[in-house]
Amino acid sequence: MLSKVRIALDAMGGDAGAAVVIPGAAISLGRHRNTEFLLVGDRARIEPELEKHPALKTTSKIIHTDVAVSGSDKPSQALRRGRKTSSMWLAIDAVKKGEADVAVSAGNTGALMAMSRFHLRTLPGIDRPAISAIWPTRRGESVVLDLGATIGGDARHLVALAVMGAAMASVQFNKPRPTVGLLNIGTEEIKGHEEIREAGEILRARNLPELDYIGFIEGDGIGKGLADVIVTEGYSGNIALKAAEGTARQMAELLRNEMQRSWLSKLGYLFARSAFQALRNKMDPNKSNGGVLLGLNGLVVKSHGGINAEGFAYAIDVGYEMAHYDLLNKINQMLNREGGALNSVQSAQEAVS
Amino acid sequence: MLSKVRIALDAMGGDAGAAVVIPGAAISLGRHRNTEFLLVGDRARIEPELEKHPALKTTSKIIHTDVAVSGSDKPSQALRRGRKTSSMWLAIDAVKKGEADVAVSAGNTGALMAMSRFHLRTLPGIDRPAISAIWPTRRGESVVLDLGATIGGDARHLVALAVMGAAMASVQFNKPRPTVGLLNIGTEEIKGHEEIREAGEILRARNLPELDYIGFIEGDGIGKGLADVIVTEGYSGNIALKAAEGTARQMAELLRNEMQRSWLSKLGYLFARSAFQALRNKMDPNKSNGGVLLGLNGLVVKSHGGINAEGFAYAIDVGYEMAHYDLLNKINQMLNREGGALNSVQSAQEAVS
């Protein structure tokens, strides 16, 4: 594909808004020249930032609004106050209208989910969308979902997550039948919540052509790369993600501090700089920024709220790749293939219950 | 206290049994000479291991049984098959009878919980015990619970965890009123499960003298050391712990590999060895091994199952310290002080609901 990728950015989302979003867009543009941006937000905030990035300015259009969704708004409040007017809504709306291929926001997760679901609607067979992301592992990368879109959920929801995650992994990793594991607190069949055990039974019984279900995986199995796709509901997925990110940051900081303690270790740092750089490249949580909202009729990417421009640029990169490789259509085709994996899951569950 | 600490070890627990438990005991004995061990398990397996550690042999007594709780036993099966006969039960039984001050097992978590609860009984006001552990943070250490004893739980359960965790932290860190945070997927009051929000309301409304409730904490807030005590139910606590441990292992391994890539980085490693050692000392998951079962009339420590002798020794150390400093009595006193924090929580909940 040589056509331009059109990306709508919520320029009022996240802790810093335009001050991070605009320089982030400039960084991402440096990596993918064939991008056009719709910058949605307060023109008075966007323009001064844009002046600093002339290349970005020539390829951007501003959609002005001064209505922002607040980080503390409940999803229902955000919908009531920000529908049709907020920067978040208008970025999603650009996707809905076909004016953008993907929307990226660092705003309030709950509001982003609610607005995306309300405006773009979910795919057939999907009740509740999910946030998925690429997790660096010992063996490469895995898709992990749900990272916080939907709290809790029954066995059918977990199975839908498995199918969506497998579709994403098969496209992303070019694997026709990716391995899927359910996150649990033990690998024995008797462990964990009822709904996890039931989802495991359904996945095993169905033996879907789209995915290879390999059983339960514990929290440390994600980083080991035990499966291409790790499935869990949004609360525990979010906790796992943030606990892992926090540990990575903590270790990096500790190592940095220790390296500064003596001239000998400082020297050692200089010698081993490439090793540290490789570590940072692989384990920097900023680099994993950008969760894809799965299950919608449109592409939306969620960035962390408290991120710097470089981190936000990675979320834009995710959106760029999803759009550039037409992943949404590919995922949807997979979900709907031969009557749809999800429909067969539905009837399977009826058979089990 | 100069009296001996008597530790009962389940010598058949964990992936390796006596082959890890006995050398682990020898390592821990090297650190605390005033220890006596009750080694519970198959004499034929224990004795050959014991021959290798003469100092341990002189301070140990074997309680023979050849019944082991299997890792795949459900708690109810373990109780049915292993009650009064298994090495796990007999180690707990030694605590119950006052023949040991603490029991340490690397066996099946669910079975250990069930047997401990059945045999030792819970403290007044506590329905379900918890596993708590010390988590290394940027600012020092925090108590995190529940790490997998009880899946799910209502607001009252979370409040009980908060009170138990605060009691442990106040003793362990010598802080009269430790700060307590509830693990959640956001810091706003509207986030997360109903029961977490309700527990937050109760803790805020009660303003207990035993703890300083500071609100919700996200997964990356644990490692930041945002609170002395982090409270969550057992499923997400276990996921968080293992995701963090997995990340720590992954980073350490990655760094090791990168350091071996060139002679320059190998040289750097030599120069900065003390920094790496410090990192390992602080972030080695083995060193955090040893979860204390809270809420019981007796001290029980749970070790990871898949651990080496050094890791198991840390779990014994935790048991040693708990017994040596008489933590159980101190925690119980705190729980029952002035009618008991838990009782006042109970009435608070009635008032709220």
Side-chain angles (χ1 to χ4, degrees), chain A residues 119-256:
Chain A
H119 201 34
L120 299 175
R121 304 281 161 187
T122 53
L123 297 171
I126 308 278
D127 295 329
R128 301 190 293 173
I131 298 176
S132 69
I134 305 293
W135 188 299
T137 73
R138 280 193 203 171
R139 305 191 325 164
E141 291 180 321
S142 298
V143 168
V144 183
L145 76 169
D146 171 16
L147 298 175
T150 299
I151 306 299
D154 59 11
R156 161 140 173 68
H157 176 63
L158 292 170
V159 172
L161 293 177
V163 173
M164 288 195 288
M168 179 162 164
S170 74
V171 171
Q172 197 102 35
F173 309 145
N174 197 21
K175 283 196 184 176
R177 197 169 185 243
T179 53
V180 173
L182 290 170
L183 192 63
N184 204 340
I185 61 169
T187 52
E188 304 86 5
E189 301 252 321
I190 53 131
K191 291 271 183 153
H193 291 286
E194 176 65 31
E195 56 268 27
I196 299 175
R197 294 199 302 268
E198 198 186 325
E201 281 168 29
I202 297 173
L203 287 168
R204 204 176 287 289
R206 288 302 295 175
N207 194 21
L208 294 166
E210 290 82 1
L211 61 91
D212 178 14
Y213 173 64
I214 61 164
F216 298 148
I217 284 180
E218 295 187 67
D220 55 349
I222 310 174
K224 286 180 187 163
L226 295 185
D228 298 317
V229 182
I230 313 277
V231 170
T232 186
E233 55 77 41
Y235 177 79
S236 47
N238 185 280
I239 298 289
L241 176 74
K242 289 192 176 154
E245 285 180 354
T247 305
R249 287 215 170 85
Q250 196 183 341
M251 282 188 77
E253 191 187 286
L254 200 62
L255 188 60
R256 213 164 32 239

Side-chain angles (χ1 to χ4, degrees), chain A residues 74 136-138 151 183 185 190 193 196 218 220 235 242 244 247-248 250-251 253 258 264 268 271 278 283, chain B residues 74 136-138 151 183 185 190 193 196 218 220 223 235 242 244 247-248 250-251 253 264 268 271 278 283:
Chain A
K74 288 187 193 182
T137 73
R138 280 193 203 171
I151 306 299
L183 192 63
I185 61 169
I190 53 131
H193 291 286
I196 299 175
E218 295 187 67
D220 55 349
Y235 177 79
K242 289 192 176 154
T247 305
Q250 196 183 341
M251 282 188 77
E253 191 187 286
E258 292 297 337
L264 204 58
F271 286 174
M283 298 297 292
Chain B
K74 288 187 192 182
T137 73
R138 280 193 203 170
I151 305 298
L183 193 63
I185 63 168
I190 54 132
H193 291 286
I196 299 175
E218 296 187 67
D220 55 349
Y235 177 79
K242 289 192 177 155
T247 304
Q250 196 182 342
M251 282 188 77
E253 192 188 285
L264 204 59
F271 285 175
M283 297 297 291

Side-chain angles (χ1 to χ4, degrees), chain B residues 245-312:
Chain B
E245 285 180 354
T247 304
R249 286 214 171 85
Q250 196 182 342
M251 282 188 77
E253 192 188 285
L254 200 62
L255 189 61
R256 210 162 35 235
N257 293 344
E258 292 297 338
M259 285 307 208
Q260 297 303 321
R261 288 223 174 175
S262 72
W263 63 266
L264 204 59
S265 59
K266 279 185 199 167
L267 196 62
Y269 177 81
L270 285 177
F271 285 175
R273 205 158 33 176
S274 67
F276 291 114
Q277 196 52 51
L279 182 72
R280 189 163 5 213
N281 282 345
K282 263 213 166 161
M283 297 297 291
D284 181 359
N286 287 336
K287 291 219 164 176
S288 310
N289 189 34
V292 179
L293 271 57
L294 286 180
L296 296 166
N297 291 303
L299 271 178
V300 179
V301 172
K302 157 75 185 152
S303 160
H304 277 317
I307 201 107
N308 59 18
E310 205 159 323
F312 192 75

Side-chain angles (χ1 to χ4, degrees), chain B residues 110-125:
Chain B
L112 187 65
M113 285 303 307
M115 284 186 175
S116 300
R117 191 176 165 193
F118 186 93
H119 201 35
L120 299 175
R121 304 280 160 186
T122 54
L123 297 172

